[in-house]
Amino acid sequence: MQTKILEIDPLNFQLEKIKEAAEYIKAGKLVVFPTETVYGLGANALDETAVKNIFIAKGRPSDNPLIAHFSDIKDILDFVEIDKNLFEKIKILTPGPITFVLKKKKNIPDIVTAGRNTVAVRIPAHPIARALIKESNTPIAAPSANLSGKPSPTDPQHVIEDLNGRVDIIINGGKVDFGLESTVIDLTEKIPTLLRPGPITPEKLREIFGKIEIPEFIYGKAKVDVARAPGMKYRHYAPDKKTILIEYSENRIEKIHQLAKNYKNPLIIAFKEDEKYFSEIDTLISGSIENYFEIATNLFAFLREADKTNNDVIIIEGVEDKGLGISIMNRLRKAATEIWR
Ligand code: AMP
Ligand code: MG
């Protein structure tokens, strides 16, 4: 398949180009587009064959449901059952980097939801994503635009590495803002349950919903509840190389030195502040220990970069499980082949 690359400036775009991409969606084709979280691999959510092709292009297991993306919150009302009170609450958080699991109506095809009676919906804030969905005049089903198992793409170059020749169009809209997939919250039971931590933190969720449940599997401390969080059982975000995560602690520097001795040519992904302790070892900087936003934004890019070097192991410094750190650690624990606590 020949993949067309469409350059579109998110801050100053010609609607003509968006319309061109929307024609592909309407024709049942695959379109990669930027969102504020990561790049998405989209198709018309109401076209079963088109959605099936998403799974094929990514090599994604068919029991891992997709998120349906809408340009306006009001548009979800045709596809989900939701009471007025809850609708008002989710309105506060949209558009934005958060996905709501809700009871679905019949018009959402089973292939999107892996046969469940719930559907995950999101209203992205990214101007290209919103315009594309609007011009396509249909919800767009989209997982992240990477090969299944690989780190999510935060830069158009990552998409090209993984999907060139496997999709019809890649919209190049530059680097994304957050670099972490959306927060996923299940709103089908009395107490909202966090299924995937993301840019919208538990603190923020409590402001809107009051009490929320955070299952142990979010912290890697229990097996994933597959009935509720079907996609989370899979290994994700993973470099091909052996990847060791060092959980945050005061004596992390000593631990890393001890560990690094076991390898010929280790690569440490370190905080800016810690780099000086590893002057004799190869390092990549994850960001500042004072700025989790910076680390989150860079996360998937440095995992991909680390995988391309000739080092024999990746050793990565973890952050604290607080605020955005919960999301960062959730991804790192999934990416790691080994965890040192
Ligand atoms: P991705 O498309 O890779 O960002 O992943 C979307 C994730 O959202 C899936 O892996 C699921 O864990 C979750 N998800 C999607 N639809 C549902 C649903 N109906 N119920 C529960 N979780 C869902
Ligand atoms: Mg993904």
Side-chain angles (χ1 to χ4, degrees):
M1 182 190 290
Q2 181 78 13
T3 301
K4 177 166 186 162
I5 315 271
L6 259 187
E7 311 272 340
I8 303 185
D9 178 352
L11 297 178
N12 180 24
F13 58 79
Q14 297 150 306
L15 200 55
E16 283 317 305
K17 285 195 176 173
I18 301 278
K19 285 189 168 157
E20 182 183 345
E23 286 308 315
Y24 276 73
I25 293 283
K26 289 184 198 165
K29 308 245 187 235
L30 300 182
V31 178
V32 173
F33 60 97
T35 82
E36 72 275 30
T37 57
V38 302
Y39 270 79
L41 165 50
N44 180 355
L46 306 181
D47 179 337
E48 281 184 51
T49 312
V51 176
K52 197 180 279 172
N53 286 333
I54 294 178
F55 287 90
I56 295 170
K58 282 196 66 152
R60 182 173 172 111
S62 60
D63 65 350
N64 190 358
L66 306 179
I67 295 170
H69 295 73
F70 296 80
S71 67
D72 191 296
I73 181 82
K74 287 196 299 295
D75 298 339
I76 70 171
L77 295 171
D78 292 335
F79 299 93
V80 300
E81 308 282 356
I82 184 170
D83 68 48
K84 202 166 177 307
N85 190 13
L86 190 56
F87 185 68
E88 290 305 318
K89 286 183 183 164
I90 71 173
K91 246 167 123 174
I92 302 171
L93 293 167
T94 59
I98 179 161
T99 296
F100 309 103
V101 173
L102 296 164
K103 292 241 153 58
K104 83 176 189 86
K105 289 184 178 167
K106 285 207 179 70
N107 48 3
I108 295 276
D110 280 345
I111 182 153
V112 173
T113 65
R116 306 177 151 256
N117 57 10
T118 57
V119 61
V121 300
R122 174 158 121 77
I123 295 84
H126 195 287
I128 293 178
R130 296 193 79 184
L132 175 67
I133 303 164
K134 185 158 180 276
E135 293 304 324
S136 303
N137 203 19
T138 179
I140 294 184
S144 49
N146 50 282
L147 289 175
S148 203
K150 294 277 158 231
S152 299
T154 54
D155 182 303
Q157 205 47 48
H158 305 159
V159 179
I160 292 168
E161 274 168 25
D162 278 16
L163 295 179
N164 198 14
R166 303 178 75 91
V167 297
D168 297 285
I169 289 198
I170 295 173
I171 297 179
N172 177 350
K175 277 197 182 135
V176 303
D177 298 330
F178 287 106
L180 274 186
E181 301 88 346
S182 60
T183 302
V184 179
I185 186 157
D186 181 347
L187 298 172
T188 60
E189 315 257 322
K190 259 221 175 77
I191 300 174
T193 302
L194 184 64
L195 298 183
R196 177 171 75 186
I200 304 293
T201 60
E203 289 82 348
K204 184 73 196 168
L205 294 171
R206 284 190 194 102
E207 266 175 41
I208 311 287
F209 299 106
K211 187 175 158 58
I212 60 161
E213 196 186 318
I214 305 185
E216 293 269 274
F217 73 75
I218 294 285
Y219 299 101
K221 287 184 187 149
K223 266 202 140 148
V224 171
D225 177 357
V226 200
R228 296 202 80 178
M232 302 302 158
K233 67 178 176 205
Y234 292 105
R235 185 153 183 248
H236 269 111
Y237 325 117
D240 292 328
K241 222 174 263 176
K242 181 167 187 182
T243 303
I244 305 175
L245 171 65
I246 308 291
E247 297 253 350
Y248 184 85
S249 75
E250 289 297 323
N251 61 353
R252 61 186 180 275
I253 308 290
E254 293 91 277
K255 274 195 208 158
I256 292 173
H257 276 288
Q258 200 191 336
L259 179 61
K261 279 194 222 130
N262 302 333
Y263 295 89
K264 265 206 215 89
N265 185 18
L267 175 72
I268 322 279
I269 302 180
F271 306 126
K272 211 180 276 173
E273 291 84 354
D274 288 356
E275 191 194 14
K276 56 179 180 286
Y277 302 111
F278 306 121
S279 53
E280 75 291 9
I281 312 176
D282 288 350
T283 50
L284 270 179
I285 304 299
S286 57
S288 167
I289 198 167
E290 305 286 341
N291 184 352
Y292 284 6
F293 185 84
E294 181 186 14
I295 296 175
T297 304
N298 296 334
L299 183 70
F300 294 128
F302 59 67
L303 287 178
R304 278 180 185 260
E305 195 180 331
D307 217 14
K308 286 186 193 137
T309 67
N310 58 8
N311 301 91
D312 56 346
V313 66
I314 302 166
I315 300 174
I316 178 160
E317 288 190 300
V319 301
E320 288 186 80
D321 274 300
K322 60 176 192 197
L324 203 51
I326 297 173
S327 311
I328 295 171
M329 289 307 288
N330 173 269
R331 306 305 191 271
L332 286 179
R333 290 186 184 115
K334 278 206 160 67
T337 27
E338 204 175 304
I339 301 178
W340 279 38
R341 293 186 201 268

